Amino acid sequence: MAKTSSNTPPKTPGAIRGTQDIFGPDAEAFAFVTETFERVRKLYRFRRAEMPVFEKTEVFARSIGETTDIVSKEMYSFEDRGGDSLTLRPEFTAGIARAYLTNGWQQHAPLKLATHGPLFRYERPQKGRYRQFHQIDAEIIGASEPQSDVELLAMADQLLRELGITGVTLQLNTLGDADSRDAWRAALVEHFRGVKGELSEDSQERLEKNPLRILDSKDPRDRQFVADAPKIDAFLSDEALAFFEQVTSGLDAAGVAWNRAESLVRGLDYYRHTAFEFVPDEGSAAAAALGSQSTVLGGGRYDGLMESLGGPVTPAVGWAAGIERLAMLVGDKAPDPLEAIVLVENDAGMAAAMQLLSRLRNGGVSADIMATGSPKKRYDKAVKQNPQHILRVDERGYHGMSGEGDNARILAAIEKSSP
RNA sequence: GCGAUCGUAGCUCAGUUGGUUAGAGCGCCGGUUUGUGGUACCGGAGGUCGGGGGUUCGAGCCCCCUCGGUCGCCCCA
């Protein structure tokens, strides 16, 4: 029993900042995305997995890197009653990696996994960015061959096509192996340090904390220095170059269009070789629909992650995509049509109407009932739901159907369960 | 963390240089009409104009603070 200590009525609590209540066309689009993903991942034989939405904080802290802003400011962390620090998952990959190690899933390697669900990041909300958001996710763990990268990207490409999303292109880069990456990074630091005074304030800061990020600076002052910055290609080992060439030739063979993006980077050290994002083409409808947070699907190869979680060296590659962003691009989905509506013209026929309704539904016919409000207005309200057929019930019971088109399924449903 | 912008009915929005009891459409409820595939009309309920303070004879409107939404920056695993 709720008690109020004063005469003031209780105030309705508001929703948490950055959370969403998804309903109507948006909810239909959301479901279309997850249903299409489930269908496509089965075509590629990815196995479904479910992970907890929270983990020990160290799972994410160690995978993401203890020092970054991400860990200190962007995660939903809290202490449980036992004093352990826990964190709502901000990504799928770390939790999947932990599950792989703690459950002995090495026995299934190479393991193709798919999942989807909510993720949490403590950020200021903006278009396409929420504190609780949702992703679909696909990973291949325990496979070091470039064919895995190709397979994963082919699946992503097919998914986007089956969602009917156009105007989005795969942007592809390689970060090389660990040695290539380190050498490139050193050269970039040297290059930008030489012109430090002319960089934007943000990029001067990045020079110390995360120099690779200068490459995707939005500040026009940085643009010329980014343009003539050293390229990864000059630092690739023979093995890294061969790997990348196998990825690109595999994509060509699979018919996946791609574009080389030399400035596409990953901030975290465990990423190796392939890095990619599907991004709207400039001026496309997709770009207009998404605003500034426009990457639709992104991922890469993270061969160094398992070690940071205390596991054996385990190559892996994966991607994730924001369901909300995909849903913004799929357009309105017409809801499934209502096949039959039972119109109760007189409440004396209510029992007959309920029996009819359950026969319809048991027979696989989508059906609803209109039996409330002014009896004189029920007809109009029934019509407004745009049913394919209206079945009338009054004190005599069911007495007739109107509507155009095929009603065989409805008749069958009524007959089949009749005595 | 920083910046811009917006908060009026359940929803979408009007609201004049500050001026009486704050309006419309949709939705909801009721009635009349119609009488069976989206009829027309009449009526009703519903708002402390996000909240607090200030200026003023008088504030939805002007000023300050605050809360919330939206968009962007930073960050982007």
Side-chain angles (χ1 to χ4, degrees):
Chain A
M1 187 87 194
K3 71 302 180 193
T4 43
S5 51
S6 72
N7 292 330
T8 57
K11 242 197 176 93
T12 305
I16 305 294
R17 180 195 294 271
T19 61
Q20 328 167 67
D21 303 304
I22 306 171
F23 177 70
D26 292 341
E28 299 299 328
F30 190 107
F32 175 67
V33 170
T34 56
E35 286 161 9
T36 304
F37 175 67
E38 277 296 297
R39 186 163 51 75
V40 171
R41 67 98 177 158
K42 288 175 187 168
L43 295 176
Y44 284 76
R45 303 294 291 174
F46 277 63
R47 299 167 74 177
R48 177 83 198 189
E50 304 293 341
M51 272 70 56
V53 295
F54 61 154
E55 299 272 356
K56 289 178 182 169
T57 296
E58 62 181 304
V59 170
F60 305 112
R62 288 167 63 184
S63 80
I64 289 165
E66 319 269 354
T67 64
T68 60
D69 282 9
I70 295 172
V71 171
S72 56
K73 299 201 284 211
E74 312 273 353
M75 300 202 311
Y76 263 100
S77 299
F78 56 95
E79 263 193 18
D80 74 1
R81 296 184 189 192
D84 293 327
S85 178
L86 308 181
T87 294
L88 266 30
R89 64 183 180 196
E91 60 161 355
F92 280 116
T93 307
I96 289 174
R98 190 236 84 217
Y100 182 87
L101 294 172
T102 60
N103 293 308
W105 288 349
Q106 289 98 328
Q107 66 180 311
H108 299 117
L111 178 57
K112 298 193 283 186
L113 287 178
T115 192
H116 65 80
L119 302 169
F120 306 84
R121 298 181 182 177
Y122 196 93
E123 307 186 273
R124 277 299 284 277
Q126 55 181 293
K127 193 179 185 73
R129 263 192 132 164
Y130 307 93
R131 287 188 173 181
Q132 178 179 336
F133 60 106
H134 303 79
Q135 286 187 340
I136 53 178
D137 181 280
E139 315 276 352
I140 303 180
I141 304 175
S144 58
E145 306 77 22
Q147 289 71 36
S148 296
D149 306 47
V150 173
E151 179 179 21
L152 206 54
L153 283 164
M155 177 167 76
D157 185 68
Q158 181 168 352
L159 172 69
L160 294 175
R161 272 187 283 115
E162 301 220 1
L163 288 171
I165 292 172
T166 58
V168 168
T169 304
L170 168 58
Q171 307 294 325
L172 185 69
N173 198 18
T174 179
L175 306 172
D177 49 33
D179 290 343
S180 314
R181 184 193 163 101
D182 290 347
W184 181 43
R185 180 194 176 98
L188 283 172
V189 170
E190 189 185 337
H191 168 76
F192 287 121
R193 192 162 279 157
V195 295
K196 180 171 179 182
E198 298 173 73
L199 295 173
S200 66
E201 297 77 11
D202 284 334
S203 285
Q204 294 186 32
E205 185 78 10
R206 291 183 183 112
L207 189 50
E208 308 306 323
K209 294 189 347 195
N210 199 350
L212 298 195
R213 282 285 162 203
I214 298 176
L215 293 175
D216 47 28
S217 168
K218 290 171 184 167
D219 196 304
R221 286 172 290 174
D222 297 329
R223 207 146 286 165
Q224 56 170 311
F225 304 113
V226 168
D228 59 13
K231 307 290 189 241
I232 179 68
D233 289 11
F235 302 89
L236 289 178
S237 65
D238 291 345
E239 295 76 21
L241 182 60
F243 189 99
F244 189 54
E245 283 174 345
Q246 288 183 75
V247 173
T248 57
S249 63
L251 290 174
D252 291 339
V256 177
W258 58 279
N259 180 48
R260 179 67 194 276
E262 291 177 311
S263 293
L264 178 60
V265 294
R266 292 277 105 98
L268 303 177
D269 288 337
Y270 58 68
Y271 281 102
R272 308 285 155 75
H273 298 291
T274 320
F276 55 86
E277 292 179 356
F278 284 79
V279 178
D281 305 331
E282 212 165 323
S284 66
L290 287 174
S292 73
Q293 304 299 323
S294 59
T295 297
V296 148
L297 182 154
R301 178 163 279 279
Y302 52 95
D303 291 349
L305 173 61
M306 290 292 180
E307 287 170 89
S308 69
L309 288 172
V313 175
T314 306
V317 58
W319 56 249
I323 297 174
E324 289 87 347
R325 290 188 197 171
L326 292 170
M328 283 191 272
L329 300 180
V330 300
D332 284 355
K333 295 286 133 194
D336 291 336
L338 172 58
E339 294 179 84
I341 191 161
V342 175
L343 175 61
V344 183
E345 297 175 311
N346 184 318
D347 285 353
M350 195 65 80
M354 295 309 297
Q355 183 183 55
L356 176 61
L357 184 62
S358 79
R359 282 179 179 173
L360 289 167
R361 289 167 170 169
N362 289 337
V365 175
S366 71
D368 213 334
I369 183 168
M370 178 54 62
T372 59
S374 159
K376 290 186 171 179
K377 289 198 169 169
R378 291 178 188 180
Y379 182 79
D380 287 341
K381 291 164 84 172
V383 167
K384 274 194 176 177
Q385 304 212 21
N386 197 27
Q388 292 173 339
H389 299 274
I390 294 177
L391 312 198
R392 290 194 204 78
V393 176
D394 62 12
E395 66 279 5
R396 298 167 291 170
Y398 168 61
H399 65 85
M401 165 166 31
S402 66
E404 315 242 323
D406 182 21
N407 61 5
R409 296 182 63 249
I410 294 173
L411 292 173
I414 299 173
E415 306 259 321
K416 190 188 283 181
S417 355
S418 289

